[in-house]
Structures are given as C-alpha cells and as structure tokens.
Amino acid sequence: MVDLESEVPPLPPRYRFRDLLLGDQGWQNDDRVQVEFYMNENTFKERLKLFFIKNQRSSLRIRLFNFSLKLLSCLLYIIRVLLDDPTQGHGCKELNRGCSSQNYTPTKIDWSPIIWVNRSLPLWGLQVSVALISLFETMLLGYLSYKGNLWEQVLRIPFLLEIINAVPFIITIFWPALRNIFIPVFLNCWLAKHALENMINDLHRAIQRTQSAMFNQVLILISTLLCLIFTCICGIQHLERAGNKLTLFDSLYFCIVTFSTVGFGDVTPKIWPSKLLVVIMICVALVVLPIQFEQLAYLWMERQKSGGNYSRHRAQTEKHVVLCVSSLKIDLLMDFLNEFYAHPRLQDYYVVILCPTEMDAQVRRVLQIPMWSQRVIYLQGSALKDQDLLRAKMDDAEACFILSSRCEVDRPAADHQTILRAWAVKDFAPKCPLYVQILKPENKFHIKFADHVVCEEEFKYAMLALNCICPATSTLITLLVHTSRGQTAPWEAFRHLTGTKQTLTREGQQSPEQWQKMYGRYSGNEVYHINLEDSTFFAEYEGKSFTYASFHAHKKFGVCLIGVRREDNKNILLNPGPRYIMSSTDICFYINITKEENSAFKKQEQHRKNKESKSYYHGPSRLPLHSVIASMGTVAIDLQDTGCRSSSGPTLTLPSEGSKDGRRSSIAPVLEVADSSSLQTCDLLSDQSEDETTPSDDDISTGLEYAKGYPPYSPYIGSSPTFCHLLHEKVPFCCLRLDKGCQHNYYEDAKAYGFKNKLIIVAAETAGNGLYNFIVPLRAYYRPKKELNPIVLLLDNPLDDLLRCGVTFAANMVVVDKESTMSAEEDYMADAKTIVNVQTLFRLFSSLSIITELTHPANMRFMQFRAKDCYSLALSKLEKKEREKGSNLAFMFRLPFAAGRVFSISMLDTLLYQSFVKDYMISITRLLLGLDTTPGSGFLCSMKITEDDLWIRTYARLYQKLCSSTGDIPIGIYRTESQKLTTSESREIASQSQISISVEEWEDTKDTKEQINNRNNHRNSTSSDQSDHPLLRRKSMQWARRLSRKVPKHSGKTAEKISQQRMSLYKRSERQELAELVKNRMKHLGLSTAGYDEMNDHQNTVSYILINPSPDTRLELNDVVYLIRPDPLAYVPNTATSQKNSFCNTVGQDAREETQL
C-alpha cells in the first residue's frame, strides 16, 4: 500500500496558521504579484465622471445648480422685459439709421422692435455670465457622457437649446454692437424642466427610496403646462412689440383665456407672426398635453388597483391594523369591519388590507361608501415581500390579522400559505401582535409564536360534538362571540327590578312573536372582564367564595360571573368552585348585556318604594313585589340534603319536609366560605358509582372494560391532553369496520351490535385529525359510562350505508361540510352538495336530529327548506328587516340556527377579531368547548328540567339551588316550545285531517268489483291498439257513463273540499312513498323496520336560547339549562389520586412523551 502522506507536498509557508496569525514575512521572496484594481477610475475623465454623473450626492448638487441657473436666466429675462420700453428704437443707430421713425401699418411690419431690445450693461453682464457657465457645464457633461456617436450628442434637443441661448451672448462679447439683439432666453424654462426631472431621479437614488411614478408623472405634467404657458406669454409679448405693445400681464391674460377655450376677444394678436405663434403653441398643447394626461390616467388606474402606500407620517400619528388575506371576499370584509368597528374604542383605527389579488367590483363599491372609504385602505401586494409590508407600515401596526382561504380544495396548501405569511410578518415586524387563522390542526405548531391562533377544524368538530350532548352549543358560542347591533332599547324587566339604568342592544323587538323578543333580547349578552377591586358588581365579595359571589352578583345586578384569573397566573379558571376565595387582584369574567363601565346605578331602596307606591304588581311577570324578590333567592329556612350528587347532573328534588299550606319550598343559602361538610364532592376517579362498580349486561356481552385516563397517542402536535374514558385493551383494526364482519365478530350492521345507547353518526368526507376533537368531548371523564353514545364514522352516505349504520335509531346525525365542493365557480354554491344531502335525509328520516356545518352563513336558510311554509316566509321577512337595521346576526331567527341544527364555521371568524379587544375570548371559548383543560377549571354541561324540578319555578331560585348544592353556575336556557299557529292555519290543518279521514273511509267502502273494472279499463285505455277494438272502446264508454252517474252533484263548498282532499292525498302519498322506499330497502338488506318512524317530524316546535336570562324568568318543562360545572378533580386529595389513578398516570405519561418534538 502506498503511503499517501509521503506523496502530499507540504503546504507553502504562506498558508500556515502561524503565518496567518503573525503575518507572512517572506512574501518579498515569493513570485507573487500585487494587483491594483479599478485603475481606470484614477484617470482625470473618470474622476470627473464620478463627480458629475456616478456619485449620487454630488450629481444631485450639480443638477440642483443647473436648475437654479436656468431659473435665474428666466428671471433675468423677465427683468429685462419689465425694464424695456418698446416705443424706443435700440441698436438701430449703428445698423439701421432712422428705423425709429417708421410706424406700423397693417400691410407692413416694423421688424426693428422684434430684433432689437433695450438691455442695460449690468443686466447684459449677468446674462453673459450665466450663459458662459451653462455652456461650459453642457460641454463638459457632453464630453463625459460621450459614447462614440458625436451626432447623437449634438442633435439632442437640450444641447440645441443650450447653444441657441448661450452662444449669442458669447458673440456679443467680441461684437459689442450686438449687445441689444434679441435672444430667446425664455426657452431656458424647458432646460429647467429637464434639469428638474434629472434632479428628482438623483434625489430618489440618493435617499435610497423607491420613487413614486405617480408623483413623477404629476410633476412632469405640471412643469410641461407651465413651460407651455411661459413660452407663449414671452413669445406673444415680444412679437407684439411691433403690434399692440402688450405687457407681460396682458400676455398672461391672453394665454389663460385662450388655453381655457374661453376667448373673450378683448386682447388679440395684431401681426401675423404673433398669430402664427399662437397657432403653433395650440398645436403643441394639443399634442403634448393629451399624452401627459393619458399617462397620468393610466398610472392613476394602476395605483387604484395596487392601492398606493400608507404614509409613514400617518402610521406614526394614527393607529392602524393590517388584514392579510389571499383573496378578499365581500362577506369576509363586511364581517371583519362590522365586528372590528363595533367596539367604541376602535373607531379611530384604520384598517389596511394587504391582498395579492386585484380588488373586485363588489369590494370596490363597498370601500367607496363614506363610512369605509375614510377608514379602510386597500393595498395590492404580497405579505412575503418586504416592500409591500413596508407599504402597509407593518412595523408600526397595532396588530396583523392573517386569514386562511377556506374555499380552497387543497386546505393544507392554504395553511402552508398562511404559515409563510405569518413567518414573513414575524421576520419583518417582530413586535407586531399576530392573530392567525389556520384550517388544519396539525399545522398549528408551525405558528406557536403567534399571539392568538384559531384552528377552524378544532372548533368545528368540538362544537359539533357538544351539540350532541348539550343542544345548540354552536348557537350559544356564536351569540357570545358576536357583537349585537340591533335596535337599542332598555331592558325593562331587569331595569325595573334592580334600578340599573342600561341601554341595551337587541334584535327582534318589533316582532309579534314572544319567543323572538326574548331570544333577541338575551342574544346581546357578551363576555366582559374587570378587576375585582375596581368593580361595583364584585368588589364587595372579596374574601368570599366564588359561588357566593356569582350567585349574589346575579341576584343583585343580573350579571353572571363565570370565571376568574389570578394576577400572577395566565390561566383562566371557569367556575373554580366554592373553595375558591375571591381576591382583590383577581380579574373577573362575567356575562352581561353591557360592560360595567357603561352602566349607571340607582339606589335600590328608593326605587322599590317608588314602584310600591305606583303598583302592587311588579315587572313583566305580573307577580307581587315580594314574590319577585323571593324568586331571586331568599335566605333559606330548612336546609336540603347534601348527599353526593350523581355524575350525570345535579338533583333538584323536592325537600323532604315540604309544607302544604301553600308556602313556597325554600332552598339552602349559598355560603360565603365553603364548608367541607356541605360540599357534594364525588370522586370520579373512584369506582363507587353504580355504573362503575356494577358492569351492565352490555359490558359483559361485549367484553368492554373502561378506565379513565389520558389518550396514549396524540393525532397532532399541539393537542391538549384530555382526561377521558379509555379501553384497557386496544381494539383490533379489523373490528372497527361496522358493515363487515371479521374473525372477532360477525356483525354487519349497527342493529346486530345491540348498542344500549343511541348512535351518533358522523358523515364526513375524510377521517382527518380534526375528528379527535369530536371524539374526546363525547368520551370526557365527567360523562357517566352508562351515557356514552357509540360513534359511527360514515365516509360515504348512500342510503344502504345509512341504514346499515343505524340511522333509524340514531340520536344525532352530524353532517360535515364537504371540502371537495368548496371551490365552486359561484362562492355560495360551495354548500350545494351538503344542503341537498341534508334535505334528502330530512325528507327520508324526518324524526332524525341532523346537525350540519356550512361554509356560508347565508345558506342556512335552505336547511330543512319548505317552499310553501308561511312561517318560514315570515322569518325571511324578519331577517331582511333586521339586516336593514344593521344587525350582524340577521340570520339568528332562522329556526335551524336557533335550534342549534346548523352553524357556519365562518361565524367564528369574529372570535379572532374580538381577541384584539378581548384577548381572553379564545381561551374562554376553548375551555367551554373542552379543547383545553386547565387544572381547577370547570367544563360546560347541561341538565334538563323535569316535572320533579318545576318546584324551583324561577331561574333565580335555580341559580341558588345549584350554587348551594353542587357549585354549578347556570349561564343560559335552551327552550323548546310548540309553534303557535294562526286561526286560519289551525282550521286548515283540522280540515285536512278530517278530509284525509273521510277519504280513507270512502276508499275503504268502494266496491271490489268496481276496482277490478277500473284496473281493467285503465289497462285497456293505455294499450296501443285501443282504436282497433270497438268492443273495448264501447266498454270504456259504458264505464265512464256509470262513473258519472255515481258521482253526486256537488255545490261550490263540496268542490273545494274535494280539491283539498286531492292535495291531502298528494301530500300523504308523497310521504308514504318515501316511507315505502326506506322500508323496502331495509327489508332488502335484511334489517328490521320496527324502529323506523316516518311520520314523526317536529315541524310545529320552536327551539331557542336564552343567555343569562333575568332572575324572574319562569322555568318550563323540558328546559335544558347550560351549566359550568366545577372540576371534580380539584376536590380529590392527592393521596387518593395517586392510589386510584395509577393507570391514568401511566397513560398520561405516555401521551406526554408522544407529543414531544
């Protein structure tokens, strides 16, 4: 083997490290050559070129000096004209004797006043000096810019003008007799214009800023117009020395009148040279000015498209936010502007929109409205370019909103664009707060640096899941995060009770429907915050328990305290429970119509006395005053049993010793400080409950064993671990297919599984990572095991698959909007496939509870569409009226939305906009939806009012009962009422029912033989060769005569009844046809039709939400109350937790390890 080291020559000494440190001392002995670069710049010509042309600052000084010289020459010409007397002949004594005695005649022109002028010696000296300097500078710049073509340098217009204006003055130095000869020095204005353009270019180069083409074009236009007018003024004035002898002011007057096309005619040129000059100048103006105006108009249109710039001065003196979008739609723009400017303190802010696409016609029309044109600035550009970010003054912006395009088919690609925009903004303006909207949850960790992030799929699936267990959660969240802007009116029921003087924002107050008035009144509730020590609502509850403060604040002021945050902690705690003691530095979060700063208070006692003196009855409830006060919660006389509450919900049973003398049953008081003996704490981790210790027959048959813990695997980085129900053993993948059997089971439909609880079916296009947020809330640890609903994922929804997966006995059917249809040619058609599919499900399975998510809120009107429904038409008119009044929630009265059957994820865009003012809204919403779990924070759940609970009577007493027994905080009511029909509608329905019954009886009493004949005749009448058989034709005629004899003669009312019978039969036959279709398919698939109820539809019910209703609101049967329940794990001792949850800790540790990057 050859030794490689011996073949490698040693490094030269100049490359050794020691020589690099100490310096190479032996370079003199080497054969290296020292090379000097840029030697050509050392010549005299190159140095001059560097000073006069290449160097930006020195070139700018030269241009400025040249511009000043040209202006000075024009000024000297004006001085010469003012000092000159055209009546005296000058210069003709030497060359033309007696010329002054010649007079002007129309046929003969005296040229001497035109050729000779009066120029004093000092003025001549100044003009000669300026001419010499200008000519020397021109010759020097021509020599330095010479590139081999002499004629190109000589024949340039600026060079020719310089020769014409400078060379005659130099000649007069050597020939004194020509000192008074006329020289057109006023032409130097065009050289001044040329110098000004060059100076502006050098100015922008010197300050290293991009010049504005619009500014340059305006400058060129103005300078061209001034030069034309100045040239015409000086030329007319000089030529008319031989005619009318006009002054400079007369020439100015004539030029302005002529160029403005007015033409009074009082001043006109008299000699033909003046007239010729006017014609030439008009022709030049007609050629030059339109070209300049055309270029200016083109630049103006281009600037309108690109949007121009947001000036640095405005950015430093005004506040603005930047909205970055990939494509700007009118709905997105109006939602942002309406929600952003709904807050009073944001009225002085400006909105700068940065969008890479050109502004469409609808957006342009909206931005031309005076209300928006003064506050919204549209810039066409990309957030990935620093120049466009500089145009938007991103570094001075108060915030930057980056929104994703949800109409894209490739949603991951849309997220990638959003991520790049967020990175670019963070790199350019690190201190600018970022508000980012992302579509896919797996892309969240790329933008963790953003101040606020809203993931669409997370919120969408979480709201769909909670809609299944807490009805209309999506509507509740939507109303809380929106700013209501309907008609303003006082909240009389509450104001009369408490003396609080508030002006409230409400929708639906002009509607005749009572439910719409209540629904619209309470929809104005929002979440606000205030420091405890600064609050009138909560300051007196310092040192008291949270439940005590919440109950008494609602009792006294009608506000609902839902959460707090410690001063030294960033985490918000929703209903931390009765053991939490309020501190003066706490930040309180509450639900109310308006924030406390906008409320005025009156003394309660005097207000009550005034009301007592006026009327014995009080308020809209028409109850005596003492009853109203009692309904708000009185001090209890007999305490309730404080046994352990069930994990399914609080028990509102009657007291054990109820009084029978008519006295209302009392409720336990809410304690100021929690007593450990009175707290109903149940250890959800222990196995003491019946459903935990005693396995059901279903569990035994299926062999399922449940435990509580954290999911061992996380589908994406950034998901919050949630404590939930888990299986001890992982189910094989083959068993997850419901419609196909495997070696472990042979079931092929949902009915064969024998599920104890009703199903929840999810119809989605793909099984994405967002489904994790749908499953986890339905398997949360606080839900009893016996109430867990089986979840079926349906990736395609033909009728056969729907029947196999158990749609006939499902609790809810969740339909997720299809992503593949979101890129329709017409934006609003993106929901077409989803709407038609849901309508088909609604027609086939009218009793099925269908929950749908759409892209556009305007399409919610097509859900459960009935073309001839009068009530739906009335709601459509109400929606239009509310929109005209400026409501942001005009669609809120649509029955599917009010009932929580449909929502649009775009409505949650306002959650991101509100975070600019309320930075806690995203955190509170995530806690309510179960997306985040904070130790000690409560969760959203619901309870249903049964007949045994109606003794509570009012919402205030319910509030007291929950706070004193379980520590729950109610925040609203979901109410379902029977739809009240008008008298005509009820009569029509009754008549239709009677007609249908009579028609059925009439059909049953028909003669069998006649039916056979009818069928035979029908078959014969439809035959193709009927005309060829006279016997058949004769029998058909006999049948027709016999039928006409049996039909009695009817009056007009009877004929109307028959027409109604036909309509009723038509409707009934259509319903029966659909039912027969479903039943036949079920029989064909071998499924039982026992659970199919085709006639049960809830068309005559209305469901709606009352957020934070007034204390005297009456409870009704089947009301669903939204509760924020305290965290049960907060009451579990640490020792018990460590002993009882070994499995949970192990699983949770694995989950945390899986989520580490």
Side-chain angles (χ1 to χ4, degrees), residues 1075-1132:
E1076 289 298 326
L1077 172 65
V1078 175
K1079 288 182 178 179
N1080 290 335
R1081 292 308 303 168
M1082 295 179 70
K1083 292 177 182 178
H1084 178 74
L1085 297 174
L1087 303 176
S1088 174
T1089 61
Y1092 179 62
D1093 183 12
E1094 72 277 5
M1095 301 297 292
N1096 182 19
D1097 58 348
H1098 305 284
Q1099 297 185 10
N1100 297 329
T1101 59
V1102 175
S1103 300
Y1104 56 96
I1105 290 178
L1106 305 177
I1107 303 177
N1108 186 29
S1110 58
D1112 59 342
T1113 301
R1114 288 279 183 169
L1115 298 179
E1116 296 183 2
L1117 186 63
N1118 297 326
D1119 279 353
V1120 177
V1121 182
Y1122 297 103
L1123 307 175
I1124 299 181
R1125 184 167 296 166
D1127 185 11
L1129 300 180
Y1131 301 142
V1132 179

Side-chain angles (χ1 to χ4, degrees), residues 10-60:
L11 289 174
R14 63 179 176 272
Y15 294 111
R16 291 179 298 183
F17 183 70
R18 178 175 59 84
D19 296 329
L20 293 176
L21 296 177
L22 302 178
D24 193 358
Q25 302 297 329
W27 65 271
Q28 295 88 350
N29 301 326
D30 295 338
D31 55 352
R32 292 178 296 173
V33 179
Q34 184 177 2
V35 180
E36 295 184 5
F37 299 98
Y38 303 107
M39 285 300 296
N40 59 335
E41 294 185 358
N42 293 329
T43 62
F44 180 72
K45 180 179 179 181
E46 290 298 327
R47 290 179 179 177
L48 288 177
K49 185 182 294 186
L50 179 65
F51 179 79
F52 282 92
I53 299 176
K54 293 182 178 180
N55 187 275
Q56 299 168 356
R57 297 186 179 276
S58 60
S59 174
L60 178 62

